[in-house]
């Protein structure tokens, strides 16, 4: 068991032989690609045009002012509590629930919440609520502003925000200190509110790192919004296919993949020794490692997407065309790497917060899975994510490329995904 770089959790070793883990992952990807090439000759996914509308009573409940207002109030109260703990609580993550609330309940908790229920942070986001309240006080429409800068920037500010947050978590000198967290959150809030003041609330949709993070993971949720705005029950791969191809999408997904990969890599004995002995110092070395991992993930994707274009022919926006296929891979990595953190540190954070309110020192619950069960879930999450990525990439390939070249055009992406799979499971085994 090792201490994670962010200092608020622990990770269990994988009690499965490396040979079986690698063989299972490689076979799943290879056979899925062969089956798709033989049995999937044309595109089957319809994006946001798919899905079965939910009953009208559920539609009304989901869109009710009471529910939405309650969720906004919950997000604002929770954010206020975190700020109070950061300003007045002890500078010790073992006694202050604020670091766990940010790094576990927010960052990790958004993974299952978004993949099950949809883009939940859009309703909980306290910054969106503060902007809405400010607009009401000024008698101004929340949509007022110049939309063009937000539309032109796309997800690039979100990618930068996610990289800054993961740097704070994984490479900064004191990620769990009250001062560091408070400074980051206040600076982040100031940037986001300034952007919304200029561009209107479309800024949050495009540029807020945590809203974009939640919305991208929600593309794999069984609940979604159809093209007409109605709530639908759908095949998650249809939702994935509807991922908007906007600027910064590739960068955002590569930050998610690269930061999670670095989090696993930073836990290896070799890298820990490197950090301790590097003449550059721990922070500079960790920063270089994080940037190198994210950059390497992005470079590999660009090379493989470009190779697919050379093999099968030109397509509009070749990088963005297949970026959605990386989302299930990122989701698989996130689930595999952070499941134990969420199920152990999440309850501990809640117990710590309740204890401060006079709960009398309630014990945190035991982890729901033993080592063998955790290992099985980790391998299954990584392999499932990559198989779904292969399916999504192949479906897009047969839609964009001529039939005679569609399978060949998918080979570079298959090679890329096999590499991601082997590296991801290697980090779990290490």
């Amino acid at each position: 068991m090792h201490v994670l770089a962010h200092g608020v959790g622990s990770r269990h070793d994988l009690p499965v032989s490396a040979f079986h883990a690698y063989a299972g992952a490689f076979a799943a990807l290879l056979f899925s690609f062969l089956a798709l090439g033989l049995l999937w000759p044309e595109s089957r996914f319809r994006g946001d045009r798919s899905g079965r509308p939910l009953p009208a009573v559920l539609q009304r409940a989901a869109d009710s002012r009471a529910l939405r207002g309650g969720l906004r109030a919950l997000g604002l109260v929770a954010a206020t509590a975190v700020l109070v703990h950061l300003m007045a609580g002890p500078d010790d993550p073992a006694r202050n629930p604020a670091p766990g609330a940010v790094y576990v309940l927010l960052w990790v908790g958004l993974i299952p919440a978004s993949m099950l229920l949809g883009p939940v942070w859009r309703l909980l986001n306290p910054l969106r609520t503060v902007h809405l309240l400010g607009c009401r006080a000024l008698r101004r429409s929340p949509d007022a502003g110049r939309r063009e800068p937000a539309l032109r920037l796309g997800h690039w500010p979100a990618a930068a925000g996610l990289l800054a947050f993961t740097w704070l978590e994984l490479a900064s000198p004191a990620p769990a200190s009250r001062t560091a967290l408070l400074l980051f959150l206040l600076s982040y809030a100031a940037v986001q509110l300034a952007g919304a003041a200029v561009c209107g609330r479309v800024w949050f949709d495009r540029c807020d790192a945590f809203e974009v993070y939640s919305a991208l993971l929600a593309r794999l949720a069984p609940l979604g919004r159809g093209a007409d705005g109605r709530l639908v029950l759908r095949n998650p791969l249809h939702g994935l296919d509807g991922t908007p191809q906007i600027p910064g999408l590739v960068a955002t997904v590569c930050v998610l993949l690269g930061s999670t990969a670095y989090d696993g890599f930073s836990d290896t004995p070799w890298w820990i020794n490197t950090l301790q002995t590097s003449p550059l110092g721990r922070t500079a070395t960790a920063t270089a490692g994080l940037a190198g991992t994210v950059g390497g993930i992005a470079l590999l994707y660009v090379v493989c997407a470009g190779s697919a274009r050379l093999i099968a022919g030109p397509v509009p926006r070749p990088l963005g065309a297949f970026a959605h296929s990386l989302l299930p891979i990122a989701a698989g990595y996130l689930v595999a790497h952070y499941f134990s953190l969420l199920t152990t540190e999440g309850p501990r954070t809640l117990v710590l917060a309740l204890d401060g309110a006079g709960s009398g020192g309630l014990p945190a619950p035991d982890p729901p899975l033993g080592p063998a069960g955790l290992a099985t879930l980790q391998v299954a999450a990584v392999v499932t994510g990559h198989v779904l990525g292969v399916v999504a990439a192949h479906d897009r390939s047969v839609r964009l490329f001529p039939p005679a070249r569609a399978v060949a055009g998918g080979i570079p992406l298959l090679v890329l995904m096999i590499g991601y799979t082997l590296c991801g499971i290697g980090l779990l085994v290490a």
Side-chain angles (χ1 to χ4, degrees):
M1 191 175 294
H2 310 288
V3 178
L4 287 176
H6 44 63
V8 296
S10 59
R11 168 177 168 260
H12 299 278
D13 291 326
L14 181 67
V16 172
S17 71
F19 172 79
H20 288 92
Y22 284 116
F26 184 84
L29 287 172
L30 183 60
F31 286 119
S32 66
F33 181 79
L34 292 175
L36 289 169
L38 294 174
L39 304 176
W40 201 299
E42 59 185 26
S43 177
R44 302 183 182 183
F45 300 142
R46 297 183 291 113
D48 291 336
R49 294 171 295 166
S50 68
R52 182 183 299 238
L54 293 184
V57 62
L58 295 179
Q59 298 276 355
R60 289 193 297 269
D63 294 333
S64 67
R65 288 188 176 183
L67 177 62
R68 290 174 174 268
L71 290 175
R72 291 192 190 101
L74 176 63
L76 194 58
V77 169
T80 302
V82 168
L83 291 177
V84 169
H85 280 291
L86 287 176
M87 289 186 290
D91 199 10
D92 179 3
R95 296 186 295 123
N96 191 329
V102 174
Y103 291 129
V104 181
L105 299 182
L106 172 61
W107 177 242
V108 183
L110 276 179
I111 300 169
S114 301
M115 291 176 64
L116 291 174
L117 301 174
V120 293
W121 191 244
R122 193 175 191 277
L123 293 176
L124 292 168
N125 188 353
L127 299 180
R128 186 183 280 270
T129 303
V130 169
H131 174 254
L132 178 63
L133 294 175
C135 288
R136 287 179 178 175
L138 297 174
R139 297 183 179 180
R140 177 187 178 187
S141 169
D143 294 314
R146 295 185 294 133
R147 295 170 54 90
E148 291 77 13
L151 297 177
R152 187 169 57 250
L153 288 170
H155 289 336
W156 281 106
L162 288 172
L163 186 60
F165 177 78
T166 53
W167 177 87
L168 175 69
E169 180 190 22
L170 304 173
S172 67
S177 76
R178 290 191 302 124
T179 302
L181 264 176
L182 187 61
L183 180 62
F184 172 83
L185 293 177
L186 293 178
S187 300
Y188 182 84
V191 170
Q192 295 300 317
L193 291 174
V198 173
C199 301
R201 59 183 170 188
V202 69
W203 175 270
F204 296 112
D205 295 323
R206 291 291 187 111
C207 305
D208 185 302
F210 296 102
E211 276 209 17
V212 172
Y213 169 57
S214 177
L216 290 178
L217 291 174
R219 282 286 160 185
L220 291 164
L223 291 174
R225 295 281 178 177
D228 59 359
R230 289 191 297 174
L231 199 62
V232 298
L233 190 64
R234 67 188 181 190
N235 179 339
L237 286 171
H238 284 289
L240 182 65
D241 184 69
T243 304
Q245 297 180 41
I246 63 177
L249 173 63
V250 174
T252 304
V253 179
C254 288
V255 169
L256 289 177
L257 272 171
S259 61
T260 307
Y262 176 76
D263 196 355
F265 175 69
S266 66
D267 207 33
T268 61
W270 178 83
W271 185 249
I272 292 173
N273 182 65
T274 300
L275 291 177
Q276 293 173 342
T277 59
S278 172
L280 298 176
R282 181 197 174 280
T283 299
T285 304
T287 300
L290 175 62
T293 305
V294 173
I297 292 286
L299 178 62
L300 287 174
Y301 173 74
V302 169
V303 168
C304 290
S307 300
R309 183 177 183 272
L310 290 175
I311 293 172
V315 296
R317 293 179 290 182
L319 295 182
F322 293 96
H324 72 297
S325 66
L326 297 184
L327 283 174
I329 298 172
Y333 280 168
L334 289 166
V335 171
H337 189 75
Y338 290 125
F339 176 83
S340 61
L341 180 69
L342 179 62
T343 56
T344 55
E345 296 302 320
R348 185 172 292 127
T349 298
L350 292 175
V351 167
L352 186 60
L354 291 173
D355 189 53
S359 66
L362 293 174
D366 294 330
L369 296 178
L374 176 62
T376 301
L377 181 139
Q378 289 175 319
V379 173
V382 171
V383 173
T384 300
H386 281 269
V387 170
L388 293 179
V390 170
V391 172
H394 179 78
D395 187 86
R396 185 62 58 85
S397 180
V398 298
R399 180 188 305 171
L400 296 178
F401 296 137
R405 298 182 182 181
V407 174
I411 290 177
L413 292 169
L414 173 67
V415 172
L416 174 72
M417 292 175 184
I418 289 175
Y420 284 167
T421 299
L422 298 181
C423 290
I425 292 183
L427 293 173
L428 293 176
V429 173

